[in-house]
Amino acid sequence: MSGVLEHATRLGPYRARVMGVEPLGGLALVRVELDSRTEVGVPGQFHMLSNPAGRDYLSRPVGLIELDGGVGFVVDQASAAADMAGPEIAVLGPLGRGFDLSETNAETTLLVAAGFGLTVMAGIGRMHRHIRLIAGLRQSDHLPLLECITGVTNDAPRIAPDLVTEPLIEALASGRYTQVLAAGPTGLGTAVARICADHGVASQVALEAPMACGFGACNGCVVPLDGTWLRCCIEGPVVDGARLLA
Amino acid sequence: MSITVGRLALAQPLLNGSGTWDAEQAHRLFGEANPGLAGFVTKTITPEPRVGNPAPRIAPARQGLLNSIGLPGPGREAFLATLLPHLRTIVDGPIICSVGGFSLADYVDTVAALDDDPACAAIELNVSCPNVESGCASIGGDAGETERLTAAARRATTKPLFVKLSASVADIAVIAMAAEAGGADALVCVNTVKATAVDRRSGKSWFGGGGGGLSGASIRPVALHAVVACREATQLDIVGLGGVECADDVRDLVAAGASAVALGTALFRNPALACAITADLAS
Ligand SMILES: Cc1cc2nc3c(=O)[nH]c(=O)nc-3n(C[C@H](O)[C@H](O)[C@H](O)COP(=O)(O)O)c2cc1C
Ligand code: FES
């Protein structure tokens, strides 16, 4: 890495120091100390992380989480060990569009997230204490992931094959919520957007896509939006749910 | 370290590979359209607008990247009316327009239109994209078609004319000689190498659009071989690319016969890579 990172764009890549890797169920929480020039960004934005000494040839898109006393991110344990253990990693970002939180409050906004999408909700939980989160997990050993998402009021998390859409439909039937913020795989995002549309409730959805660059250069990260294929890293990752239904 | 490649003057020898850099987005995000690069090579322009292939379009490979993007783009008309004029206001250095298509007329019409446009400094014929159904790579896989296309494009423009080749052919030297006979000013070696990823359960292509091309460090020796073969077979200048990641990779391609060198997949990990390599080359 020496030499290479002496040159950076205004978004990096800048160095970050890995402060520790903590097991988090079947996942791992990597704590990092960012360069002073790297901003965490708005919830829903992401960073491209790489370790030139690691196994992966490409960077990986990661949502940074503000933690008590620092910043971190969640990866599956195998890749944490192989690539993100440090001592230093390169961080580019923040990239993409995050959530528009101008209308968000704990009374009328509902959060829905599954898998790695849950980490996106950590920042919103810190801003809006007791905001309600409906969480979905692929397997029960990922439950400790919820420990990183402080501030939110959790429903009992749904573990696959249980779906987050069932409690979502119940919650929207109460008429209390005017906005849903969701994060997870495209299938979940589309389901949430459709349910919200059926209930006349606004939705913003943070999508996931494989990414090679994160800044619009490769055209690899397309998602079905507006009835065509558009770059997730440029149009999103956070999009108006209606665009998934076009 | 100013150089000339195929009659095109460059302030230094580094360019981007077509389709691996979006100057508009770079300008918006980083404040610079082509940091550290001597100019900008556009994404391949097709006659009509194209959505590109369905997802998934990329897959990781050890020491490389597999892609099946399928040439998405605004099409010739919108490129000339909107994108190219905007690029001219933000790009530092010459703009090289990459041209693709599915028939000889597709290419020639675009080349003729670009010939009239002062914003276009040079034209690169992409006869080597592995990710579209027809045209492109099938032209670049055949010496006769390559010569016919290059000659027709040559008649349509006085601008520097580059031909971008594939290493996924029986003998790249034969194709290179055909481009030279057709009147090319320079060769660009190489495009992605035909490759794919499969879905283990179905045995079908992993990619939404099928096909696939390999780029990155794993094709660097392939690019070196292509540059040597083209240097030995022709008198043409060569832009070398394929897996370049550092100053030594640039030195290797130059030693093999390249006058200029382009960065592709490595830019995805570090958009400031050209600045770092330029500094290294100078030291
Ligand atoms: C995502 C992606 C998109 C590409 N799109 C184009 C394209 O539109 N036209 C073209 O001539 N080459 C295209 N290429 C090929 C590159 O310009 C380059 O020739 C190839 O990737 C080898 O260089 P590299 O290993 O440094 O990436 C593309 C490559 C990648 C990885
Ligand atoms: S990740 Fe490369 S264009 Fe979005």
Side-chain angles (χ1 to χ4, degrees), chain A residues 211-221 231 233:
Chain A
M211 291 187 186
C213 70
F215 50 88
C218 74
N219 270 293
C221 62
R231 291 171 291 185
C233 69

Side-chain angles (χ1 to χ4, degrees), chain A residues 3-13 48-52 54-59 90 92-97 209-224 227-231 233-235, chain B residues 19-22 25-32 35 43 51-65 69 72 215-218 220 243-245 265-273 275-277 279-280:
Chain A
V4 168
L5 291 194
E6 308 309 323
H7 301 269
T9 73
R10 68 184 179 196
L11 296 181
M48 296 298 289
L49 269 48
S50 63
N51 180 354
R55 182 188 55 172
D56 279 354
Y57 186 70
L58 299 166
S59 307
L92 177 74
L95 296 164
R97 288 174 212 267
M211 291 187 186
C213 70
F215 50 88
C218 74
N219 270 293
C221 62
V222 289
V223 285
T228 181
W229 293 99
L230 296 175
R231 291 171 291 185
C233 69
I234 297 297
E235 302 290 325
Chain B
T20 64
W21 189 255
D22 183 328
Q25 294 300 337
H27 184 253
R28 182 177 71 82
L29 288 163
F30 308 137
E32 289 172 277
K43 174 90 189 153
V51 171
N53 290 340
R57 288 182 177 180
I58 51 173
R62 282 185 203 124
Q63 294 303 304
L65 169 71
I69 307 290
S215 64
S218 48
R220 197 183 305 136
V244 175
E245 295 185 338
T265 305
L267 289 168
F268 299 161
R269 225 169 37 192
N270 182 3
L273 186 62
C275 305
I277 292 182
D280 254 13

